[in-house]
Amino acid sequence: MKKDDRLIYLILTAQQTLRNHLNSALVAGGVKATIAQNAILFLLKQKDGRTMTELSRILSIDNSTLTGLTDRLEKAGFVRRSANPGDRRSSHIYITEGGIAQAEAAKVIIHRVNDKIKEGFTAGEVDSFKAVLNAFSSKFA
């Protein structure tokens, strides 16, 4: 296979490179929550009190991974859990003031990194890139 045809490798490498860069930028900016943990905080800012199942479905991660992320967020004081009175097997997750502050700080850093990704490309190239990414995501959804 020609080196340029390794799309899976290139996509996965780009994803891991971006994840590592974002997490480093968050740490450098004083944000304690990782990019994966911030995804949970962002969703809770949109709609507080989501269930673990709902978060897992939206983020496309398994329940055990979500449980670990939520455990760390709870230990850091960024979220709290509340048992679902109608179903003892599920709980609702609520963002705390500390979690809101983390998400707001992360948002600034993420916007800065997003702008850096676009540097050196024309608006048309960025639009084409977004179209490819959206089409790719739709293809495998």
Side-chain angles (χ1 to χ4, degrees), residues 123-136:
E125 289 170 327
V126 172
D127 287 342
S128 294
F129 184 58
K130 290 190 298 188
V132 168
L133 292 174
N134 286 323
F136 176 81

Side-chain angles (χ1 to χ4, degrees), residues 6 16 27 29 33 50 52-53 55 62 72 75-76 79-80 87 108-109 112 115 120 133 139:
R6 300 176 307 154
Q16 191 58 48
V27 168
R50 293 181 191 260
M52 295 286 280
T53 301
L55 291 168
D62 59 61
R72 288 186 286 284
K75 184 176 181 180
V79 300
R80 66 176 176 79
D87 181 359
V108 171
I109 293 165
R112 190 178 321 129
D115 289 342
L133 292 174
K139 185 179 280 196

Side-chain angles (χ1 to χ4, degrees), residues 31 33 38 41-42 45 95 98-108 110:
V31 176
N38 271 291
L41 296 176
F42 294 149
K45 276 190 68 194
I95 192 167
I100 291 170
Q102 284 291 296
E104 288 301 315
K107 183 176 167 184
V108 171
I110 290 167

Side-chain angles (χ1 to χ4, degrees), residues 66-81:
L66 183 68
T67 299
L69 292 168
T70 305
D71 286 347
R72 288 186 286 284
L73 285 169
E74 187 175 34
K75 184 176 181 180
F78 301 145
V79 300
R80 66 176 176 79
R81 294 179 210 220

